[in-house]
Amino acid sequence: MVGFVPYPDNLNLDKLSEPIPGTQSQGQSATYRCAIWDKQWWENLPDEPTTLFELFEQSVARHPSRALFLRRPLLPSSPSAPASTTQEPVYSRTLVPTSYGTVQSRRSNLGSALLALERDGRLKSSIERNGVSPPEITHPGIPYFGNSNRVKGGSRRGWAVGIWSKNREEWQVVDLACQAYGLVGVSLYETLGPDVAQYITNHCPLPIIFASSNHIPSLLKIAPKCPSLKIVVSMDPLARSEHDLLSEWAASLGLELLVMDDLEKYGSTDGVYIEPGPVKGAQGELELDRERMVTISYTSGTTGDPKGVVLTNKNFTYAIRSNILGTNKDLQGGVEWKYISYLPLSHIFERYLHYVVMYGDGTVAFTTGDVTKLLEDAQIIQPKFMAGVPRVWNRIHAAVVTQMNGGGLKGALLRRAVDAKIANWRQTGSVTHPLWDALVFRKIKALLGGQLVYMCSGAAPLTPEVHEMLKICFGCEVIQGYGLTETIGTCTKGIGEDVRSVGTVGFIQTCNDLKLIDHADMGYTSQDQPNPRGEICLKGYNITPGYLHNPKATEESIDKDGWFHTGDIGEVDAQGHLKIVDRVKNVVKLSQGEYVALEKLESLYALDPLFASLLVHGDSTRSSLVALAVLDPAQAASLVHHALGKHVKAEDLTALEKAVGDRKIRKAILKRLARTAKEHKLNGFEMIKGVHLTLQPFPDEIITPTLKIKRNIAAKKFNKEIDAAYKEAEAPAEKDEDAGAGAASKL
């Protein structure tokens, strides 16, 4: 059985996940499992890939000439055009393909060259373990090659290879080479800068990094602080003068600068080229490859340095095999179809989706990488499959709502069409309508190319309103899923026709078991009615064995029985849907996927003497933060005097409470908060964009004995104030830098 699998004809939407009898115990729910497919049947399916290498090889064998990648090439500037360093790049509207077979050849050449670099001693540094360099990356309980294992071309394996670039086919060529030649791929974040790159390079450590040419100067700047780094490889061709200058700079640091094209040519030569995959006939090679570490995926780090999540071949392969169960019929049967790639490959969500596309005989179409051009990219690519995060979908939803609220016939027609289709969807589960699709929604569908049949959302929950709007506007399957880096980005997913799945993240996938652990202090227990609630804990083939070089974090996240504690509070309903309702730790993921440590921000913002108490509120359906602030009376009186020209005594709390309700006061305080953010070099998503002000201390019901704030209770008590702060924060028209830019004007 190779390829995507449809849901069974007798699919029972009343029973998607089910508790295993006899597994409930004190303080925790029963263990839940997928009720759609039998786990034992799935585990023992014949002819399924057991490694990422096998998965790719099977895909190439089925269609070597089919395009694996598509891209929009950069057009050369006109010779007559004036030179400008600020001129925007111009991309072709014609897509250039690279076939499965071509990628396979490039991968094998590059992998052969990488092993030759180790064999020739060009990756040795002062960083070694067990007397060798570069060191093999190991983790307790995971099989590894060992220093004496040189059965593959006389080279050692298991060391790490870094990748630092935006999404492009070379990114995957490097990663596929690592899979086929026993190496460990490590991605550096495209957007988080050289400090994070330096930390990851040293933590892993990395002896070689492939980078787009724009990152090479940054790599050379941090190189003196990265003793393991010996070779930097440019993914882009370099002009002779640029190559000579960068090579001289690298040499002065004891590094080599290579170009990826040259390295691939070197790997194709006699005496260097080695067949990909486990060594045939060598005892234990295939078994080792199935269980070995295949990548380290670093988290973005919210309260300190990023953690390196260890992921194995088995983790990845079984996550993919689980995801292909229950797939849209228009993506089945080996037909050609396109997936649009714009979410960063440094995140696990996008990365595993690429492998799902390869497994399903699809084509990955890369965008330009400019989020403001996403609509243009989509209209050229015309994808059938698109993934996204709430920030992207929210902008599209906002554009539709803006048009609905507009006057005249167009607004009235859109309102009527939306109401009719949502009513039909809720009643029948159908997202299509012959009249309204042709009359109204055809233009909206065209915004994203007009060919979408499957859309999925991850990173943070979608609001029910946005979820339903996407379904009826694009007339296709729109599903939510749930996962973390530690679970290969997946452990639950929804079903397109399931009306009751809206507001949930779907059913438990075949590769997982799930249970809920009581957090009575937060008001969540497995005995709650009508549904059990608690911290989501997971087991399964896709679960990380732990964090690299960090036994403490591993022990804190994975208990002695092997359950991974996610830190998210969930609820399982009668049909087996999982709903995310809270977070154990005071870390929130915003709608664009960024994690924010709320307590850290409060400790910084509250340094301002203006605040007697401060609560920073984040919501996974929003892209920004707001605050509830209790003001110091004396400081507030002074602020009112300077901002409003009014003299109000600090003792007159009634008059002062009325005065701080003025919008000018809120604007003045937001400016102060912005100055604090700048002083502490906070990221843009860590800035406060809206605020509610009061002189009244927070009530005792939201304060713990240790004077911490009960966030979930505070959020309920101050729900109106929080909503008002968001409404005011989002009211001004701002320059849209999101993927939905321009959508309103094009509807």
Side-chain angles (χ1 to χ4, degrees):
M1 185 205 79
V2 175
F4 288 175
V5 180
Y7 286 104
D9 293 336
N10 62 346
L11 176 64
N12 182 3
L13 294 178
D14 291 326
K15 189 180 179 183
L16 302 175
S17 309
E18 59 185 353
I20 301 173
T23 57
Q24 185 172 4
S25 61
Q26 182 67 34
Q28 62 184 44
S29 72
T31 297
Y32 288 85
R33 184 168 287 178
C34 178
I36 303 174
W37 289 281
D38 178 72
K39 194 169 190 176
Q40 190 172 6
W41 163 82
W42 170 75
E43 290 172 345
N44 296 292
L45 284 170
D47 304 320
E48 288 295 286
T50 59
T51 67
L52 293 176
F53 169 71
E54 289 180 346
L55 184 153
F56 182 65
E57 291 295 289
Q58 290 177 8
S59 296
V60 177
R62 290 194 296 273
H63 37 67
S65 300
R66 179 177 294 180
L68 171 55
F69 297 128
L70 291 170
R71 59 185 172 86
R72 294 179 62 189
L74 192 63
L75 294 176
S77 57
S78 171
S80 59
S84 172
T85 57
T86 60
Q87 186 175 359
E88 283 197 13
V90 179
Y91 290 88
S92 171
R93 299 184 67 85
T94 302
L95 298 170
V96 175
T98 303
S99 71
Y100 273 79
T102 299
V103 173
Q104 183 186 51
S105 296
R106 292 187 65 186
R107 173 216 62 188
S108 299
N109 293 339
L110 184 62
S112 298
L114 285 169
L115 292 195
L117 292 176
E118 189 281 329
R119 190 168 59 245
D120 294 342
R122 293 164 68 179
L123 297 175
K124 284 185 178 179
S125 71
S126 60
I127 303 299
E128 61 178 44
R129 295 195 187 106
N130 300 319
V132 296
S133 181
E136 183 171 2
I137 311 301
T138 62
H139 184 80
I142 299 180
Y144 58 95
F145 293 103
N147 297 325
S148 61
N149 186 339
R150 289 185 173 270
V151 297
K152 195 166 184 66
S155 299
R156 291 174 53 255
R157 289 168 289 174
W159 40 273
V161 176
I163 310 170
W164 194 9
S165 81
K166 69 178 185 180
N167 295 13
R168 53 189 293 177
E169 59 189 69
E170 287 80 8
W171 200 109
Q172 281 291 17
V173 169
V174 175
D175 201 44
L176 290 166
C178 291
Q179 296 158 21
Y181 288 83
L183 305 176
V184 179
V186 179
S187 177
L188 305 176
Y189 286 89
E190 171 71 6
T191 57
L192 291 185
D195 289 346
V196 175
Q198 178 181 316
Y199 174 82
I200 294 173
T201 300
N202 290 330
H203 182 263
C204 201
L206 296 175
I208 182 170
I209 296 175
F210 289 76
S212 51
S213 57
N214 62 303
H215 289 310
I216 291 177
S218 295
L219 274 176
L220 296 180
K221 287 177 182 177
I222 67 173
K225 298 178 181 178
C226 300
S228 67
L229 186 60
K230 297 305 295 179
I231 295 179
V232 173
V233 183
S234 173
M235 291 176 162
D236 302 297
L238 298 173
R240 171 59 60 185
S241 58
E242 185 180 10
H243 184 277
D244 291 347
L245 180 63
L246 291 173
S247 293
E248 185 177 343
W249 185 2
S252 71
L253 302 170
L255 271 65
E256 285 188 75
L257 175 69
L258 305 177
V259 175
M260 188 165 167
D261 285 347
D262 296 337
L263 202 53
E264 290 178 42
K265 291 174 185 175
Y266 171 61
S268 69
T269 58
D270 292 339
V272 176
Y273 182 83
I274 306 171
E275 288 295 325
V279 178
K280 295 176 182 177
Q283 186 175 2
E285 274 279 296
L286 178 57
E287 292 76 14
L288 173 57
D289 199 38
R290 288 171 176 165
E291 301 290 339
R292 77 174 180 89
M293 187 189 313
V294 75
T295 190
I296 308 297
S297 185
Y298 280 85
T299 63
S300 55
T302 56
T303 57
D305 293 323
K307 292 185 291 188
V309 181
V310 174
L311 298 170
T312 68
N313 236 335
K314 192 171 188 177
N315 291 153
F316 254 111
T317 309
Y318 278 86
I320 296 159
R321 285 173 51 177
S322 183
N323 264 271
I324 58 88
L325 298 176
T327 311
N328 187 283
K329 59 182 176 58
D330 292 309
L331 305 179
Q332 296 166 13
V335 298
E336 290 194 49
W337 54 275
K338 287 175 283 190
Y339 167 79
I340 184 169
S341 175
Y342 69 98
L343 298 173
L345 271 167
S346 53
H347 287 272
I348 207 70
F349 184 39
E350 179 73 4
R351 197 169 173 189
Y352 98 81
L353 284 175
H354 275 220
Y355 299 128
V356 169
V357 173
M358 294 178 199
Y359 188 104
D361 304 323
T363 298
V364 175
F366 292 108
T367 66
T368 60
D370 182 348
V371 293
T372 66
K373 289 185 171 66
L374 180 58
L375 294 181
E376 176 184 293
D377 286 325
Q379 289 157 26
I380 293 170
I381 292 169
Q382 297 185 331
K384 283 197 170 184
F385 177 16
M386 181 176 182
V389 296
R391 187 171 188 176
V392 174
W393 308 133
N394 290 349
R395 299 305 301 175
I396 294 173
H397 174 264
V400 176
V401 171
T402 298
Q403 292 297 307
M404 288 174 62
N405 293 336
L409 178 62
K410 187 176 181 181
L413 190 64
L414 183 56
R415 288 193 297 274
R416 185 174 178 185
V418 167
D419 290 344
K421 283 201 71 176
I422 285 182
N424 184 57
W425 144 252
R426 290 175 179 173
Q427 183 176 356
T428 69
S430 172
V431 294
T432 60
H433 191 286
L435 173 63
W436 296 120
D437 286 345
L439 193 62
V440 175
F441 295 106
R442 176 175 51 85
K443 294 180 180 179
I444 298 178
K445 290 181 69 173
L447 284 174
L448 294 176
Q451 301 297 315
L452 283 170
V453 298
Y454 192 84
M455 299 166 74
C456 67
S457 184
L462 276 177
T463 64
E465 294 81 10
V466 174
H467 195 170
E468 286 189 321
M469 185 71 82
L470 289 172
K471 282 177 175 287
I472 60 103
C473 282
F474 292 97
C476 71
E477 200 167 347
V478 182
I479 64 104
Q480 282 199 81
Y482 168 69
L484 306 91
T485 303
E486 292 88 346
T487 71
I488 312 290
T490 182
C491 55
T492 72
K493 70 174 182 179
I495 297 175
E497 67 190 46
D498 184 6
V499 176
R500 288 173 293 189
S501 71
V502 172
T504 78
V505 291
F507 66 91
I508 298 155
Q509 289 206 43
T510 316
C511 62
N512 285 114
D513 290 344
L514 179 150
K515 69 178 180 180
L516 304 175
I517 300 291
D518 289 2
H519 270 268
D521 57 329
M522 297 180 68
Y524 302 115
T525 77
S526 54
Q527 302 302 315
D528 288 349
Q529 296 297 327
N531 302 313
R533 300 187 300 175
E535 182 181 4
I536 301 165
C537 296
L538 299 163
K539 259 188 180 182
Y541 291 125
N542 60 324
I543 306 300
T544 177
Y547 302 99
L548 186 67
H549 312 322
N550 196 339
K552 183 175 183 291
T554 300
E555 291 173 5
E556 290 173 348
S557 296
I558 303 173
D559 65 29
K560 60 182 178 60
D561 296 319
W563 287 94
F564 170 64
H565 293 241
T566 66
D568 290 313
I569 298 292
E571 173 183 337
V572 179
D573 68 19
Q575 293 76 43
H577 303 112
L578 176 68
K579 184 177 182 180
I580 310 300
V581 297
D582 209 335
R583 178 82 181 152
V584 174
K585 298 177 181 177
N586 296 324
V587 177
V588 66
K589 185 191 286 187
L590 300 181
S591 64
Q592 67 268 45
E594 299 287 357
Y595 285 96
V596 179
L598 300 178
E599 284 189 344
K600 182 191 80 170
L601 296 184
E602 285 166 355
S603 67
L604 296 176
Y605 285 121
L607 292 174
D608 191 324
L610 176 63
F611 304 114
S613 300
L614 185 74
L615 182 147
V616 177
H617 178 83
D619 188 323
S620 59
T621 66
R622 309 272 192 169
S623 62
S624 59
L625 303 172
V626 296
L628 303 175
V630 178
L631 303 180
D632 175 84
Q635 295 285 335
S638 175
L639 180 63
V640 167
H641 173 64
H642 287 96
L644 302 180
K646 294 181 179 179
H647 294 279
V648 181
K649 293 182 179 180
E651 297 80 17
D652 191 350
L653 297 182
T654 302
L656 204 53
E657 184 80 19
K658 183 178 179 181
V660 300
D662 193 297
R663 186 171 184 178
K664 291 181 180 178
I665 298 294
R666 293 195 293 276
K667 291 179 70 175
I669 286 179
L670 287 173
K671 287 182 180 179
R672 289 177 67 148
L673 290 167
R675 285 199 301 269
T676 301
K678 185 176 181 180
E679 289 169 5
H680 293 281
K681 299 180 180 178
L682 298 180
N683 294 306
F685 57 83
E686 294 176 307
M687 296 179 67
I688 306 298
K689 298 298 178 66
V691 65
H692 168 73
L693 306 175
T694 183
L695 275 297
Q696 300 298 320
F698 288 135
D700 291 341
E701 65 189 271
I702 70 168
I703 304 295
T704 69
T706 56
L707 303 182
K708 294 181 180 179
I709 296 174
K710 299 176 183 177
R711 293 183 184 277
N712 58 324
I713 298 175
K716 293 175 183 177
K717 183 171 182 61
F718 292 99
N719 179 56
K720 292 181 179 179
E721 291 82 357
I722 289 171
D723 284 346
Y726 273 120
K727 185 176 181 180
E728 190 169 285
E730 296 166 355
E734 297 177 354
K735 182 180 179 181
D736 194 344
E737 297 180 352
D738 292 315
S745 64
K746 296 182 181 182
L747 290 174

